[in-house]
Amino acid sequence: MKIGHLVESLDPHGVAAALVDLSAAGRAAGIDLVVVALAPSGHPGIAAALERSGATSVELNVAPWDPRAIPKVVEVLRSAGVELVHSHGPRPDVVASAAAARLRIPAISTLHRVHDQPADRADRLRRTAKTLARKRFMTRTIATSVLQRDWYHRVAGSTEGLSVIPDGAADPGVATPEEIARFRQGLGVGSDDVVAVSVAPMRRGQGQDMLLDAVAELPEDEPVTVVLGGDGPLRPWLESRVSGDDALSGRVVFRRRADPVELLRGADVQLHTTRHDTMPRPLILGQGTGTPAVATRVGGIPEIVTRDTGALTAVSSSRIADELARMVRDPDLRRRRGAAARRRFLERFEAGVWAAQLGEVYRSALRYSDAPAPAELDTPEPAAPAGSV
């Protein structure tokens, strides 16, 4: 099947990075990808990775809501022989549905957010209108979590045409003892120190401020080093806070340009203390490396992290500190949870599993475009309570 994926851009922090993994695993599921980006990202790495994985990638240069986007996408999809278009995001959804109608091919959309924030009547009406338009113009809709499915049901009134398929990732593998030793040596940590890593993007809502509050609450003799990887608009502020606090500067280090997977492979614990998230890719990758997690109980995170694979906490620095301290003090607990995380990744989130599930939905849409969606292919555990998004 030649499947066109329409995204906003080939941003390495967006959905395009996951499509690299899907493309590499897709051949075994009978899927060839054509990835079309509406806007240039300025990051050539994802385009190169897509090409290496066997996908075709095209970056257009159309301004937001430019009507020329539709004919340009139609031209790309037609010339590539695309049989079905799969969109990701608000603008790609609109363009994909129009392009699919012109080409008379099915259109599928993945939900990547839950719009449960407080809203006035006009906002609620707009959200409902968008959801009803999705039902009208999309052949199928994919939710990445039960949380999204339940939200969709509340807004749309039914889940007809919707399947729940969690995003997947290529197997990052488990680090060897030699690799872990080199990683720890590079950090300058002692053999008894526990290394806790966060690779969430440094932007508003991701909770690094709360994470630093939690680290500040730990006893002074707790043998833990916290590594903050990644980048984002809040990085200068976070670095300034750490450098101005003796307790934090002795415990927290930054690795801006480090590969997130390498950080997770070398970590004893993963920290993901966001205030809202739907299906965070860093947590999926962390499970693949066999790293137990301490994460906040928000959004779709409880569908990734279970009590067997890590600890879920309230959005509270004190609770995060308590769970981190528990993990630091109990190496057997870390080993058990790490092994369970690795098993869960291979069963539920590995890219081959993801590709096979998407392949079934694609075939259903291509063969039976008027038929109801197949039964949910993999039902995650119950979502977080309402109001935790």
Side-chain angles (χ1 to χ4, degrees):
M1 296 174 286
K2 185 65 71 72
I3 308 298
H5 281 259
L6 191 61
V7 298
E8 183 63 32
S9 74
L10 299 185
D11 186 328
H13 302 296
V15 68
L19 294 180
V20 174
D21 293 349
L22 178 62
S23 174
R27 293 295 178 90
I31 300 170
D32 280 337
L33 264 63
V34 177
V35 180
V36 183
L38 295 175
S41 69
H43 296 279
I46 293 297
L50 283 166
E51 297 292 338
R52 289 194 301 270
S53 72
T56 300
S57 66
V58 178
E59 287 187 276
L60 303 177
N61 189 8
V62 288
W65 311 117
D66 186 335
R68 292 173 296 179
I70 295 170
K72 286 185 175 183
V73 169
V74 167
E75 180 182 355
V76 172
L77 298 180
R78 180 185 287 125
S79 64
V82 164
E83 303 166 67
L84 178 152
V85 61
H86 185 165
S87 59
H88 307 267
R91 182 162 72 134
D93 284 347
V94 173
V95 175
S97 61
R102 291 193 184 184
L103 293 169
R104 298 188 177 184
I105 60 176
I108 288 178
S109 170
T110 289
L111 298 168
H112 288 283
R113 297 184 63 189
V114 173
H115 298 283
D116 255 6
Q117 293 81 9
D120 59 23
R121 184 173 182 273
D123 284 335
R124 290 195 298 271
L125 288 173
R126 281 193 289 269
R127 292 175 186 177
T128 302
K130 288 179 181 179
T131 303
L132 294 177
R134 181 191 299 274
K135 289 183 66 177
R136 170 66 178 82
F137 296 108
M138 291 294 175
T139 311
R140 298 282 188 270
T141 296
I142 293 172
T144 60
S145 67
V146 169
L147 176 85
Q148 286 179 318
R149 181 200 64 189
D150 294 345
W151 166 78
Y152 186 88
H153 184 270
R154 290 195 300 273
V155 176
S158 78
T159 56
E160 182 181 359
L162 182 140
S163 298
V164 178
I165 302 177
D167 286 346
D171 185 359
V174 177
T176 65
E178 293 77 17
E179 289 172 332
I180 293 174
R182 287 195 297 270
F183 174 74
R184 296 173 69 87
Q185 184 178 11
L187 290 174
V189 301
S191 59
D192 294 330
D193 278 11
V194 170
V195 177
V197 166
S198 170
V199 295
M202 295 177 180
R203 60 174 181 250
R204 188 176 179 182
Q206 289 298 298
Q208 285 93 350
D209 58 329
M210 185 167 51
L211 173 56
L212 293 181
D213 290 341
V215 174
E217 293 180 31
L218 293 172
E220 290 183 7
D221 59 349
E222 207 71 75
V224 59
T225 296
V226 175
V227 181
L228 297 184
D231 201 357
L234 291 184
R235 181 179 56 81
W237 179 84
L238 293 168
E239 290 179 334
S240 175
R241 178 179 171 186
V242 169
S243 65
D245 187 315
D246 291 341
L248 290 176
S249 61
R251 251 189 187 146
V252 179
V253 296
F254 291 83
R255 289 293 184 269
R256 178 184 177 188
R257 300 187 184 279
D259 181 350
V261 170
E262 290 184 6
L263 293 179
L264 291 169
R265 281 165 56 93
D268 298 299
V269 179
Q270 178 180 11
L271 300 171
H272 196 85
T273 57
T274 181
R275 289 182 169 85
H276 52 79
D277 232 328
T278 304
M279 185 58 58
R281 181 174 169 82
L283 275 175
I284 293 174
L285 291 171
Q287 288 206 336
T289 63
T291 307
V294 174
T296 41
R297 188 185 291 105
V298 298
I301 288 177
E303 299 175 43
I304 304 173
V305 179
T306 69
R307 66 180 62 186
D308 292 330
T309 68
L312 290 168
T313 82
V315 180
S316 158
S317 60
S318 296
R319 295 295 299 276
I320 293 166
D322 289 344
E323 291 296 344
L324 177 55
R326 183 183 175 207
M327 293 271 257
V328 168
R329 297 165 188 168
D330 194 338
D332 288 336
L333 178 64
R334 296 198 303 270
R335 282 192 287 270
R336 290 197 306 272
R337 284 177 164 172
R342 174 72 177 162
R343 290 193 299 270
R344 185 171 175 82
F345 171 83
L346 294 174
E347 293 168 0
R348 186 180 294 271
F349 299 113
E350 193 272 326
V353 177
W354 183 31
Q357 293 178 342
L358 287 177
E360 288 198 30
V361 173
Y362 293 158
R363 290 184 181 89
S364 171
L366 286 167
R367 295 174 183 170
Y368 310 105
S369 59
D370 295 325
E376 290 178 9
L377 299 170
D378 192 346
T379 303
E381 296 181 1
S388 64
V389 179

